[in-house]
Amino acid sequence: MSRINLVDPKTATGASAELLGSIHAAFGATPNMFKAVANSPAALASMWGSFGALGNGRLGAKLGEQIAVAVADRNDCHYCLAAHTALGRKAGATA
């Protein structure tokens, strides 16, 4: 089965490099889902723009991450659970 290449932020060029830099600055790391989408700078711009728009919603970062933790737990996605637990702590959530 073929797999999608993950774009290395260190070797990325153009718009993808710029966007991956912004993503890394925001999260302190570059999640693999962004590295995969970076194969298309337009798709990466759209995805990152959506994250920004949702970040300005009414729920707030803490509640949004608590919901994401619940969904990740329900989906049994250990990668997502770890990421959203860390982001939730950063937003003020506790165990």
Side-chain angles (χ1 to χ4, degrees):
M1 175 180 6
S2 61
R3 295 189 177 260
I4 296 172
N5 176 52
L6 298 181
V7 175
D8 183 346
K10 294 175 187 168
T11 59
T13 60
S16 288
E18 248 181 79
L19 290 163
L20 289 172
S22 297
I23 292 163
H24 186 86
F27 292 118
T30 308
N32 285 340
M33 66 179 180
F34 291 106
K35 292 178 185 178
V37 175
N39 285 288
S40 166
L44 183 60
S46 174
M47 184 177 180
W48 187 231
S50 295
F51 270 72
L54 291 171
N56 293 324
R58 293 184 177 187
L59 293 182
K62 181 179 171 183
L63 180 56
E65 291 304 330
Q66 289 171 315
I67 293 168
V69 164
V71 171
D73 184 55
R74 177 78 172 124
N75 289 337
D76 199 29
C77 179
H78 302 283
Y79 177 83
C80 298
L81 184 58
H84 289 292
T85 297
L87 291 169
R89 286 188 182 128
K90 187 176 174 183
T94 63

